[in-house]
Protein backbone atom coordinates (compact mmCIF):
# COMPACT_ATOMS: atom_id res chain seq x y z
CA UNK A 1 0.00 0.00 0.00
CA UNK A 2 1.34 3.38 -1.03
CA UNK A 3 0.11 5.45 1.90
CA UNK A 4 -1.98 4.90 4.96
CA UNK A 5 -3.12 8.53 5.16
CA UNK A 6 -5.67 8.39 2.33
CA UNK A 7 -6.92 6.02 -0.35
CA UNK A 8 -4.48 5.92 -3.26
CA UNK A 9 -6.08 5.53 -6.62
CA UNK A 10 -5.43 5.19 -10.32
CA UNK A 11 -7.40 5.85 -13.48
CA UNK A 12 -8.15 2.79 -15.58
CA UNK A 13 -10.04 1.62 -18.64
CA UNK A 14 -12.23 -1.52 -18.46
CA UNK A 15 -9.93 -3.22 -21.01
CA UNK A 16 -7.16 -3.22 -18.40
CA UNK A 17 -9.20 -5.57 -16.25
CA UNK A 18 -8.40 -8.22 -18.86
CA UNK A 19 -4.65 -7.69 -18.44
CA UNK A 20 -3.27 -9.89 -15.65
CA UNK A 21 -0.32 -7.56 -14.91
CA UNK A 22 -2.66 -4.59 -14.45
CA UNK A 23 -5.05 -6.52 -12.23
CA UNK A 24 -2.17 -7.70 -10.04
CA UNK A 25 -0.83 -4.15 -9.75
CA UNK A 26 -4.26 -2.78 -8.82
CA UNK A 27 -4.81 -5.48 -6.22
CA UNK A 28 -1.41 -4.95 -4.62
CA UNK A 29 -1.10 -1.16 -4.55
CA UNK A 30 -4.37 0.66 -5.19
CA UNK A 31 -7.30 1.28 -2.86
CA UNK A 32 -9.31 3.48 -5.24
CA UNK A 33 -9.97 3.55 -8.98
CA UNK A 34 -11.29 6.22 -11.32
CA UNK A 35 -12.74 5.57 -14.75
CA UNK A 36 -10.30 7.16 -17.20
CA UNK A 37 -13.19 7.68 -19.64
CA UNK A 38 -16.20 5.44 -19.11
CA UNK A 39 -18.03 7.50 -16.49
CA UNK A 40 -17.91 10.62 -18.67
CA UNK A 41 -21.00 11.87 -20.52
CA UNK A 42 -19.26 10.94 -23.78
CA UNK A 43 -19.59 7.28 -22.78
CA UNK A 44 -22.68 7.19 -20.57
CA UNK A 45 -24.79 9.84 -22.29
CA UNK A 46 -25.65 7.98 -25.46
CA UNK A 47 -28.74 10.13 -26.04
CA UNK A 48 -31.59 11.80 -24.15
CA UNK A 49 -32.80 9.21 -21.65
CA UNK A 50 -30.41 6.56 -23.03
CA UNK A 51 -27.58 5.54 -20.74
CA UNK A 52 -24.61 3.29 -21.40
CA UNK A 53 -23.68 2.16 -17.91
CA UNK A 54 -22.20 -1.24 -18.81
CA UNK A 55 -18.50 -0.27 -19.13
CA UNK A 56 -18.54 1.65 -15.84
CA UNK A 57 -20.43 -1.15 -14.12
CA UNK A 58 -17.57 -3.46 -15.06
CA UNK A 59 -15.18 -1.23 -13.11
CA UNK A 60 -17.57 -1.07 -10.16
CA UNK A 61 -17.90 -4.86 -10.13
CA UNK A 62 -14.11 -5.30 -10.15
CA UNK A 63 -13.69 -2.72 -7.40
CA UNK A 64 -16.29 -4.33 -5.17
CA UNK A 65 -14.83 -7.80 -5.66
CA UNK A 66 -11.42 -6.48 -4.63
CA UNK A 67 -12.49 -4.10 -1.83
CA UNK A 68 -11.34 -1.07 -3.83
CA UNK A 69 -13.26 2.22 -3.68
CA UNK A 70 -14.43 4.12 -6.78
CA UNK A 71 -14.17 7.86 -7.49
CA UNK A 72 -16.72 9.22 -9.93
CA UNK A 73 -15.32 11.22 -12.86
CA UNK A 74 -17.10 13.24 -14.25
CA UNK A 75 -20.70 14.45 -14.59
CA UNK A 76 -19.90 17.43 -16.81
CA UNK A 77 -16.97 18.35 -19.05
CA UNK A 78 -16.76 20.85 -21.90
CA UNK A 79 -14.59 18.42 -23.86
CA UNK A 80 -16.45 15.64 -25.64
CA UNK A 81 -19.80 16.87 -24.29
CA UNK A 82 -22.43 15.06 -26.39
CA UNK A 83 -24.09 17.46 -28.82
CA UNK A 84 -27.63 16.28 -27.98
CA UNK A 85 -27.45 18.24 -24.73
CA UNK A 86 -27.36 21.45 -26.78
CA UNK A 87 -29.72 20.58 -29.62
CA UNK A 88 -32.31 23.24 -30.48
CA UNK A 89 -32.42 26.89 -31.30
CA UNK A 90 -30.66 29.07 -28.72
CA UNK A 91 -32.90 31.99 -29.57
CA UNK A 92 -36.08 30.05 -28.74
CA UNK A 93 -37.54 31.28 -25.43
CA UNK A 94 -37.66 27.72 -24.04
CA UNK A 95 -34.10 26.77 -25.05
CA UNK A 96 -32.43 27.56 -21.74
CA UNK A 97 -34.92 25.53 -19.72
CA UNK A 98 -34.62 22.66 -22.18
CA UNK A 99 -30.83 22.44 -21.85
CA UNK A 100 -31.00 22.85 -18.10
CA UNK A 101 -33.52 20.05 -17.88
CA UNK A 102 -31.37 17.73 -20.00
CA UNK A 103 -28.42 18.39 -17.70
CA UNK A 104 -30.43 17.80 -14.54
CA UNK A 105 -32.08 14.68 -15.91
CA UNK A 106 -28.72 13.26 -16.92
CA UNK A 107 -27.06 14.00 -13.57
CA UNK A 108 -30.00 12.64 -11.62
CA UNK A 109 -29.92 9.37 -13.55
CA UNK A 110 -26.17 8.88 -13.31
CA UNK A 111 -25.77 9.82 -9.65
CA UNK A 112 -28.76 7.63 -8.78
CA UNK A 113 -27.32 4.68 -10.71
CA UNK A 114 -24.01 4.85 -8.83
CA UNK A 115 -25.43 5.78 -5.44
CA UNK A 116 -23.59 3.89 -2.71
CA UNK A 117 -20.98 2.70 -5.21
CA UNK A 118 -18.81 5.80 -5.58
CA UNK A 119 -17.50 7.90 -2.68
CA UNK A 120 -17.08 11.15 -4.60
CA UNK A 121 -18.08 12.81 -7.84
CA UNK A 122 -16.24 15.34 -9.92
CA UNK A 123 -19.49 17.17 -10.56
CA UNK A 124 -17.93 19.68 -12.92
CA UNK A 125 -14.56 19.35 -14.63
CA UNK A 126 -12.37 22.22 -15.85
CA UNK A 127 -14.98 24.98 -15.66
CA UNK A 128 -12.50 27.74 -14.74
CA UNK A 129 -10.90 29.90 -17.40
CA UNK A 130 -7.21 29.85 -18.34
CA UNK A 131 -7.41 33.47 -19.46
CA UNK A 132 -6.51 36.45 -17.29
CA UNK A 133 -9.52 38.62 -16.53
CA UNK A 134 -11.99 35.80 -17.12
CA UNK A 135 -13.24 33.57 -14.30
CA UNK A 136 -15.36 31.02 -16.14
CA UNK A 137 -14.42 28.96 -19.20
CA UNK A 138 -16.58 30.92 -21.60
CA UNK A 139 -15.71 28.73 -24.58
CA UNK A 140 -17.54 25.80 -22.97
CA UNK A 141 -20.77 24.78 -24.72
CA UNK A 142 -22.34 24.71 -21.24
CA UNK A 143 -21.41 28.33 -20.69
CA UNK A 144 -22.69 29.25 -24.13
CA UNK A 145 -26.07 27.66 -23.42
CA UNK A 146 -26.62 28.57 -19.76
CA UNK A 147 -23.98 31.05 -18.63
CA UNK A 148 -22.17 30.20 -15.38
CA UNK A 149 -25.37 29.01 -13.67
CA UNK A 150 -24.94 25.51 -15.10
CA UNK A 151 -22.36 24.84 -12.37
CA UNK A 152 -24.90 25.47 -9.64
CA UNK A 153 -27.56 23.41 -11.43
CA UNK A 154 -25.14 20.49 -11.68
CA UNK A 155 -24.22 20.50 -7.98
CA UNK A 156 -27.79 20.83 -6.80
CA UNK A 157 -28.97 17.97 -9.02
CA UNK A 158 -26.13 15.75 -7.82
CA UNK A 159 -26.90 16.42 -4.15
CA UNK A 160 -30.61 15.81 -4.66
CA UNK A 161 -29.83 12.40 -6.17
CA UNK A 162 -27.39 11.35 -3.44
CA UNK A 163 -27.40 13.08 -0.06
CA UNK A 164 -24.04 11.70 1.10
CA UNK A 165 -21.64 11.32 -1.84
CA UNK A 166 -18.83 13.92 -1.77
CA UNK A 167 -19.21 16.58 -4.44
CA UNK A 168 -16.16 18.15 -6.11
CA UNK A 169 -15.17 20.83 -8.53
CA UNK A 170 -12.14 19.45 -10.40
CA UNK A 171 -9.53 21.41 -12.32
CA UNK A 172 -5.90 21.58 -13.44
CA UNK A 173 -3.15 24.09 -12.64
CA UNK A 174 -4.51 24.87 -9.17
CA UNK A 175 -0.83 24.83 -8.12
CA UNK A 176 -0.47 28.07 -10.12
CA UNK A 177 -1.73 31.20 -8.30
CA UNK A 178 -3.62 32.73 -11.26
CA UNK A 179 -5.65 29.65 -12.07
CA UNK A 180 -6.17 28.89 -8.40
CA UNK A 181 -7.66 32.34 -7.86
CA UNK A 182 -10.24 31.69 -10.58
CA UNK A 183 -11.17 28.23 -9.32
CA UNK A 184 -11.55 29.52 -5.78
CA UNK A 185 -13.62 32.51 -6.92
CA UNK A 186 -16.06 30.01 -8.40
CA UNK A 187 -16.03 27.96 -5.21
CA UNK A 188 -16.67 31.04 -3.08
CA UNK A 189 -19.57 32.06 -5.28
CA UNK A 190 -21.09 28.58 -4.91
CA UNK A 191 -20.64 28.62 -1.13
CA UNK A 192 -22.23 32.07 -0.88
CA UNK A 193 -25.27 30.77 -2.74
CA UNK A 194 -25.59 27.75 -0.47
CA UNK A 195 -24.71 25.33 -3.25
CA UNK A 196 -23.69 21.89 -1.90
CA UNK A 197 -19.96 21.41 -2.54
CA UNK A 198 -17.57 19.36 -0.41
CA UNK A 199 -14.18 19.81 -1.98
CA UNK A 200 -11.76 20.77 -4.68
CA UNK A 201 -10.17 18.16 -6.92
CA UNK A 202 -6.65 19.09 -7.94
CA UNK A 203 -5.79 17.26 -11.13
CA UNK A 204 -2.03 17.82 -10.65
CA UNK A 205 -0.90 17.16 -14.18
CA UNK A 206 2.53 18.47 -13.27
CA UNK A 207 6.07 17.96 -14.54
CA UNK A 208 9.56 17.37 -13.17
CA UNK A 209 10.13 21.13 -12.82
CA UNK A 210 6.94 21.85 -10.85
CA UNK A 211 7.41 23.12 -7.30
CA UNK A 212 5.59 21.24 -4.53
CA UNK A 213 5.20 24.58 -2.72
CA UNK A 214 2.44 25.66 -5.11
CA UNK A 215 0.50 22.51 -4.25
CA UNK A 216 0.93 23.22 -0.54
CA UNK A 217 -0.53 26.70 -1.07
CA UNK A 218 -3.46 25.35 -3.07
CA UNK A 219 -4.37 22.85 -0.34
CA UNK A 220 -4.19 25.54 2.34
CA UNK A 221 -6.33 27.92 0.30
CA UNK A 222 -9.06 25.30 -0.05
CA UNK A 223 -8.92 24.53 3.68
CA UNK A 224 -9.46 28.18 4.48
CA UNK A 225 -12.78 27.97 2.62
CA UNK A 226 -13.78 25.05 4.82
CA UNK A 227 -13.57 22.40 2.11
CA UNK A 228 -11.57 19.18 1.71
CA UNK A 229 -9.00 18.27 -0.97
CA UNK A 230 -8.66 15.36 -3.37
CA UNK A 231 -5.75 14.88 -5.74
CA UNK A 232 -7.50 13.43 -8.72
CA UNK A 233 -5.22 12.97 -11.75
CA UNK A 234 -1.62 13.15 -10.60
CA UNK A 235 1.15 12.51 -13.09
CA UNK A 236 4.64 13.97 -13.34
CA UNK A 237 5.61 14.47 -16.96
CA UNK A 238 9.28 14.18 -17.93
CA UNK A 239 8.87 17.29 -20.05
CA UNK A 240 8.36 20.97 -19.25
CA UNK A 241 6.61 22.52 -22.22
CA UNK A 242 5.78 26.13 -23.04
CA UNK A 243 2.14 27.20 -23.51
CA UNK A 244 2.56 27.02 -27.28
CA UNK A 245 3.03 23.25 -27.08
CA UNK A 246 -0.48 22.95 -25.62
CA UNK A 247 -1.98 25.57 -27.92
CA UNK A 248 -0.61 24.44 -31.27
CA UNK A 249 1.97 21.72 -30.69
CA UNK A 250 5.01 23.97 -31.23
CA UNK A 251 8.00 24.41 -28.93
CA UNK A 252 7.41 21.10 -27.16
CA UNK A 253 10.44 19.59 -25.49
CA UNK A 254 12.14 16.96 -27.67
CA UNK A 255 11.21 13.30 -27.20
CA UNK A 256 13.69 11.41 -25.01
CA UNK A 257 12.78 8.25 -26.86
CA UNK A 258 13.50 5.02 -25.07
CA UNK A 259 16.61 6.34 -23.29
CA UNK A 260 15.22 8.65 -20.66
CA UNK A 261 18.20 10.06 -18.70
CA UNK A 262 18.47 8.79 -15.12
CA UNK A 263 18.83 12.43 -14.01
CA UNK A 264 15.29 13.15 -15.18
CA UNK A 265 13.86 10.07 -13.46
CA UNK A 266 15.71 11.12 -10.29
CA UNK A 267 14.20 14.59 -10.53
CA UNK A 268 10.81 12.93 -10.91
CA UNK A 269 11.38 10.75 -7.86
CA UNK A 270 12.45 13.77 -5.81
CA UNK A 271 9.33 15.70 -6.75
CA UNK A 272 7.06 12.74 -6.01
CA UNK A 273 8.67 12.47 -2.56
CA UNK A 274 8.29 16.20 -1.84
CA UNK A 275 4.73 16.14 -3.09
CA UNK A 276 3.62 13.19 -0.96
CA UNK A 277 5.26 14.82 2.06
CA UNK A 278 3.10 17.87 1.40
CA UNK A 279 -0.03 15.76 0.87
CA UNK A 280 0.53 13.79 4.08
CA UNK A 281 0.97 17.02 6.03
CA UNK A 282 -2.61 18.12 5.24
CA UNK A 283 -5.40 16.24 7.00
CA UNK A 284 -7.75 17.86 4.48
CA UNK A 285 -6.34 15.56 1.75
CA UNK A 286 -8.70 12.59 1.69
CA UNK A 287 -7.86 10.85 -1.58
CA UNK A 288 -4.90 10.84 -3.99
CA UNK A 289 -5.12 9.31 -7.46
CA UNK A 290 -2.69 9.06 -10.34
CA UNK A 291 -3.91 9.32 -13.93
CA UNK A 292 -3.05 5.78 -14.91
CA UNK A 293 -1.43 2.97 -12.93
CA UNK A 294 1.81 2.30 -14.83
CA UNK A 295 3.86 3.95 -17.57
CA UNK A 296 2.59 1.24 -19.90
CA UNK A 297 -0.62 3.25 -20.37
CA UNK A 298 -0.67 7.02 -20.02
CA UNK A 299 -2.57 9.76 -21.84
CA UNK A 300 0.73 11.70 -21.96
CA UNK A 301 2.07 9.41 -24.68
CA UNK A 302 -0.20 11.31 -27.09
CA UNK A 303 -0.85 14.61 -25.25
CA UNK A 304 0.11 17.34 -25.93
CA UNK A 305 2.11 15.56 -28.66
CA UNK A 306 3.12 11.98 -29.47
CA UNK A 307 6.15 11.30 -27.30
CA UNK A 308 7.54 8.71 -24.90
CA UNK A 309 6.52 9.73 -21.40
CA UNK A 310 6.91 8.00 -18.06
CA UNK A 311 4.88 10.01 -15.59
CA UNK A 312 3.71 7.40 -13.05
CA UNK A 313 5.01 5.43 -10.06
CA UNK A 314 5.29 2.07 -11.83
CA UNK A 315 7.22 1.36 -15.03
CA UNK A 316 5.90 -0.25 -18.20
CA UNK A 317 6.63 -3.67 -16.70
CA UNK A 318 4.48 -2.64 -13.68
CA UNK A 319 7.55 -2.59 -11.45
CA UNK A 320 8.08 0.16 -8.87
CA UNK A 321 10.21 3.08 -10.08
CA UNK A 322 12.55 5.24 -8.01
CA UNK A 323 9.56 7.57 -7.67
CA UNK A 324 7.64 4.81 -5.88
CA UNK A 325 10.45 4.04 -3.45
CA UNK A 326 10.98 7.74 -2.84
CA UNK A 327 7.34 8.03 -1.78
CA UNK A 328 7.06 4.95 0.41
CA UNK A 329 10.48 4.95 2.11
CA UNK A 330 11.93 8.21 3.41
CA UNK A 331 15.27 6.54 4.08
CA UNK A 332 15.90 5.62 0.47
CA UNK A 333 18.55 7.69 -1.24
CA UNK A 334 17.52 8.57 -4.79
CA UNK A 335 20.45 7.90 -7.16
C1 LIG B 1 -8.33 12.04 -20.77
C2 LIG B 1 -8.12 10.56 -20.97
O1 LIG B 1 -6.97 10.15 -20.25
C3 LIG B 1 -7.98 10.25 -22.43
O2 LIG B 1 -7.97 8.84 -22.64
C4 LIG B 1 -9.14 10.85 -23.24
O3 LIG B 1 -8.91 10.68 -24.61
C5 LIG B 1 -9.30 12.33 -22.92
O4 LIG B 1 -9.42 12.51 -21.53
N1 LIG B 1 -8.21 15.99 -17.56
C6 LIG B 1 -9.28 15.20 -17.24
C7 LIG B 1 -9.36 13.82 -17.75
O5 LIG B 1 -10.12 15.61 -16.42
O6 LIG B 1 -10.68 13.38 -17.91
C8 LIG B 1 -8.60 13.67 -19.04
O7 LIG B 1 -8.61 12.29 -19.41
C9 LIG B 1 -7.20 14.18 -18.89
C10 LIG B 1 -7.19 15.65 -18.53
Amino acid sequence: MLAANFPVGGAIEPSQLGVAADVALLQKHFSSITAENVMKPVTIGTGPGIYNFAPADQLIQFAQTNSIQVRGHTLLWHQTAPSWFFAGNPSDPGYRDLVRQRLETYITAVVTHFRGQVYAWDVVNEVASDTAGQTYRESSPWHAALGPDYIEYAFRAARAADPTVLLFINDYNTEHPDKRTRVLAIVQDLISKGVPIDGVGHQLHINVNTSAAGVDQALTAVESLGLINHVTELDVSLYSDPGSCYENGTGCQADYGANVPQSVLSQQATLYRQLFNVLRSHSSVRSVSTWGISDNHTWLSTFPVNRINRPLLFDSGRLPKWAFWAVVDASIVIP
Side-chain angles (χ1 to χ4, degrees):
M1 193 58 60
L2 277 169
N5 304 52
F6 31 70
V8 173
I12 58 164
E13 297 279 18
S15 58
Q16 294 178 269
L17 301 181
V19 179
D22 285 329
V23 169
L25 183 62
L26 284 163
Q27 289 170 332
K28 186 168 168 77
H29 288 292
F30 291 85
S31 46
S32 176
I33 54 172
T34 304
E36 185 175 356
N37 288 296
V38 299
M39 283 194 192
K40 292 173 180 168
V42 64
T43 301
I44 293 181
T46 310
I50 311 168
Y51 305 98
N52 174 29
F53 288 123
D57 287 344
Q58 248 184 288
L59 297 189
I60 299 270
Q61 174 78 54
F62 170 82
Q64 288 175 353
T65 305
N66 291 281
S67 303
I68 293 172
Q69 300 188 69
V70 182
R71 240 194 134 262
H73 174 83
T74 172
L75 298 171
L76 180 151
W77 193 26
H78 65 287
Q79 271 188 42
T80 62
S83 58
W84 63 262
F85 278 114
F86 313 105
N89 183 350
S91 49
D92 278 354
Y95 179 76
R96 222 190 122 85
D97 285 348
L98 186 66
V99 176
R100 176 179 177 175
Q101 187 142 53
R102 287 179 185 138
L103 175 64
E104 291 173 343
T105 302
Y106 175 81
I107 289 181
T108 304
V110 175
V111 173
T112 301
H113 180 85
F114 294 107
R115 192 162 52 201
Q117 304 188 316
V118 301
Y119 62 97
W121 270 111
D122 290 330
V123 178
V124 296
N125 193 34
E126 304 180 348
V127 298
S129 165
D130 290 321
T131 311
Q134 198 180 86
T135 300
Y136 297 93
R137 183 185 293 279
E138 293 180 13
S139 58
S140 165
W142 288 109
H143 192 280
L146 299 172
D149 292 348
Y150 72 88
I151 300 171
E152 170 175 357
Y153 301 155
F155 275 95
R156 290 194 191 280
R159 177 54 75 231
D162 186 335
T164 56
V165 70
L166 298 171
L167 303 181
F168 281 76
I169 183 172
N170 191 49
D171 218 319
Y172 56 86
N173 282 354
T174 54
E175 66 280 12
H176 296 294
D178 291 357
K179 181 67 173 281
R180 174 160 74 240
T181 301
R182 293 180 210 120
V183 172
L184 295 186
I186 296 173
V187 171
Q188 264 173 311
D189 178 64
L190 294 173
I191 292 172
S192 74
K193 290 174 174 155
V195 176
I197 176 170
D198 296 292
V200 174
H202 307 266
Q203 292 187 359
L204 293 196
H205 293 296
I206 58 179
N207 68 71
V208 290
N209 285 321
T210 302
S211 156
V215 176
D216 197 11
Q217 287 153 15
L219 301 173
T220 302
V222 170
E223 288 159 6
S224 67
L225 295 179
L227 301 190
I228 61 167
N229 290 293
H230 281 186
V231 172
T232 54
E233 306 184 16
L234 172 62
D235 45 23
V236 180
S237 173
L238 304 177
Y239 306 98
S240 317
D241 300 305
S244 67
C245 176
Y246 293 91
E247 282 146 28
N248 54 33
T250 61
C252 307
Q253 207 187 313
D255 192 347
Y256 286 121
N259 301 312
V260 178
Q262 176 56 42
S263 61
V264 179
L265 293 170
S266 298
Q267 220 185 329
Q268 181 185 56
T270 302
L271 178 56
Y272 261 113
R273 172 176 279 170
Q274 291 167 343
L275 182 66
F276 270 77
N277 285 341
V278 166
L279 300 176
R280 289 171 178 137
S281 74
H282 287 264
S283 62
S284 65
V285 174
R286 305 290 167 81
S287 171
V288 175
S289 300
T290 53
W291 204 243
I293 55 172
S294 86
D295 290 343
N296 182 60
H297 173 99
T298 162
W299 73 306
L300 295 179
S301 56
T302 57
F303 179 86
V305 288
N306 290 336
R307 199 166 48 180
I308 298 258
N309 212 333
R310 299 190 178 155
L312 299 165
L313 294 168
F314 299 91
D315 71 16
S316 296
R318 283 76 168 178
L319 294 173
K321 294 161 62 180
W322 281 108
F324 173 87
W325 297 116
V327 166
V328 299
D329 187 344
S331 72
I332 280 185
V333 180
I334 301 164

